[in-house]
Amino acid sequence: MTMASNRRVVLLAGDGIGPEVANEARRVVEWLDHRRSVGFDLSEALIGGAAYEATGHPLPDATMEAAQGSDAVLLGAVGGPQWEALDFSLRPERAILGLRKQLDLFANLRPAKVFDALSDASSLKPEVLRGLDLMIIRELTGGIYFGEPRGVETLPDGTRRGVNTEVYTTPEIRRVGAVAFELARGRGGKVHSVEKANVMESGGLWREEIQELRDADFADVELHHMYADNCAMQLVRDPHQFDVVVTSNLFGDLLSDISAQLTGSLGMLPSASLGALGSGGSRAALYEPVHGSAPDIAGEGKANPIAMVLSLAMLLRHSLEQDADAELIERAVGNVLDSGLRTADILQPGLTPVSTGDMGRAICAELDRLAA
Ligand code: NAD
């Protein structure tokens, strides 16, 4: 029987390894539903190539409506070589852009957390990474990827000129800044705001607005300003200096990929994209692994489901305020890795790889043990 207090989560499995990792997220949701205080109404809808095959569109109206009527959306991955020749508007990847746009998901959260058992999986020295836990917040709906004017024109002399424009307004900067300060309050209490105020007027505005917001509403949070080029260098030199980093769409695109490399494997990286706070205190939100549909291993049971399971943990923390359950899942993942269990992508010498399903079952068994 459905209880009124149940949380509505829409699971969009998608393509390639999406359905495989979604199976393991479903397994953990079912575990939570049976064992913890909050109940779930988990519904599923089509997205990406799978939706295109069934309905002729990668983001059908029914999926959009399900997303809009939910507390949060959990997405596997979309895309694959069989859809690459389609018109750009029908490509599976357009579905994610459509979701972001229609739900106005302006803050992209990418944690970089290094599990002890994997601290030697990165190309950086383990002593630089051990215990690392930082969060990059990228503004997702503004900046140079959307700014006008844009385009390519042919000049009278026959040469061409390409233009893109970095544009940010006070509300755009402040709403993503507020997400960063609020998150920092629940973490290490420190924000690095990153721009190029030395050479860009929009960067100067970013710096001023973030500083004013902090002084007015978040004086308890430590704020540092840093130029984006220095931040790129500091992330690989001494990543422990960071707690929360907040930056523009363009710089966030680059810096979040650098921070991803700190953790070693795509199969371990969750993400969240958050919208504005509504009047009832809730916000639209999409949670998904950073990785794609991995067609090279799809259907083989080799995919690492941990990025997806950690995306579910982010959903619990940022949309459902179930921090204890989120921590439980993260602890279970850490313990399973400590026990030597590995999927192929994070394999270490002397260990044998396990399947996607085995990893998911092991995480649930560890949840059982921790919750006993
Ligand atoms: P990818 O992330 O799918 O794969 C890159 C490499 O990492 C592959 O070798 C893959 O096997 C491996 N990998 C990825 N996730 C893994 C996991 N969970 N476990 C083990 N190994 C994993 O990126 P790609 O190959 O550039 O793109 C493949 C398809 O995915 C394309 O169609 C692309 O457009 C799409 N894509 C979708 C998303 C998304 O859904 N958000 C993101 C990126 C790419």
Side-chain angles (χ1 to χ4, degrees), residues 5-19:
S5 63
N6 277 4
R7 304 305 178 92
R8 291 157 305 163
V9 175
V10 178
L11 181 62
L12 307 175
D15 309 315
I17 63 168

Side-chain angles (χ1 to χ4, degrees), residues 231-302:
C231 183
M233 186 178 73
Q234 296 298 337
L235 273 171
V236 291
R237 194 187 73 85
D238 176 21
H240 281 279
Q241 68 188 286
F242 299 106
D243 175 26
V244 174
V245 174
V246 64
T247 189
S248 64
N249 205 341
L250 172 64
F251 294 143
D253 198 359
L254 308 182
L255 297 174
S256 61
D257 270 18
I258 294 177
S259 75
Q261 176 55 25
L262 302 176
T263 64
S265 170
L266 261 180
M268 296 293 301
L269 292 167
S271 78
S273 302
L274 307 181
L277 262 185
S279 50
S282 64
R283 53 168 109 230
L286 169 70
Y287 299 85
E288 56 178 324
V290 168
H291 63 72
S293 58
D296 54 333
I297 57 165
E300 296 180 18
K302 285 185 185 165

Side-chain angles (χ1 to χ4, degrees), residues 124-310:
L124 266 70
K125 295 189 188 104
E127 57 268 29
V128 175
L129 297 175
R130 201 162 288 126
L132 184 71
D133 181 4
L134 65 85
M135 176 79 83
I136 307 261
I137 302 180
R138 166 187 170 191
E139 200 289 328
L140 203 56
T141 53
I144 198 163
Y145 295 160
F146 298 96
E148 300 279 350
R150 62 185 300 153
V152 177
E153 61 176 336
T154 302
L155 300 174
D157 69 357
T159 60
R160 293 189 300 162
R161 178 171 179 268
V163 179
N164 290 92
T165 307
E166 174 84 341
V167 192
Y168 274 111
T169 61
T170 297
E172 285 176 310
I173 298 168
R174 288 189 175 221
R175 68 180 185 171
V176 75
V179 170
F181 288 124
E182 276 157 17
L183 270 176
R185 271 184 177 155
R187 297 172 43 100
K190 185 163 65 171
V191 169
H192 279 79
S193 171
V194 171
E195 24 61 14
K196 289 280 288 178
N198 48 343
V199 287
M200 293 167 71
E201 285 79 359
S202 59
L205 178 73
W206 181 285
R207 182 175 287 222
E208 286 167 20
E209 294 290 348
I210 292 281
Q211 184 68 53
E212 281 175 23
L213 175 67
R214 182 261 174 198
D215 294 347
D217 298 336
F218 300 97
D220 52 315
V221 179
E222 194 181 318
L223 172 63
H224 301 263
H225 300 283
M226 192 179 262
Y227 297 138
D229 48 347
N230 185 29
C231 183
M233 186 178 73
Q234 296 298 337
L235 273 171
V236 291
R237 194 187 73 85
D238 176 21
H240 281 279
Q241 68 188 286
F242 299 106
D243 175 26
V244 174
V245 174
V246 64
T247 189
S248 64
N249 205 341
L250 172 64
F251 294 143
D253 198 359
L254 308 182
L255 297 174
S256 61
D257 270 18
I258 294 177
S259 75
Q261 176 55 25
L262 302 176
T263 64
S265 170
L266 261 180
M268 296 293 301
L269 292 167
S271 78
S273 302
L274 307 181
L277 262 185
S279 50
S282 64
R283 53 168 109 230
L286 169 70
Y287 299 85
E288 56 178 324
V290 168
H291 63 72
S293 58
D296 54 333
I297 57 165
E300 296 180 18
K302 285 185 185 165
N304 185 348
I306 292 179
M308 184 69 168
V309 169
L310 293 175

Side-chain angles (χ1 to χ4, degrees), residues 35-99:
R35 298 292 304 272
R36 307 294 283 181
S37 55
V38 169
F40 289 86
D41 282 337
L42 189 69
S43 59
E44 308 208 12
L46 290 168
I47 194 163
Y52 173 77
E53 297 300 338
T55 70
H57 199 277
L59 182 59
D61 290 345
T63 301
M64 199 59 234
E65 280 158 24
Q68 279 163 336
S70 70
D71 292 312
V73 180
L74 185 60
L75 171 79
V78 298
Q82 61 272 55
W83 300 293
E84 272 169 16
L86 284 175
D87 182 75
F88 195 61
S89 64
L90 295 175
R91 295 272 293 272
E93 294 81 358
R94 295 293 297 176
I96 298 184
L97 298 180
L99 271 176

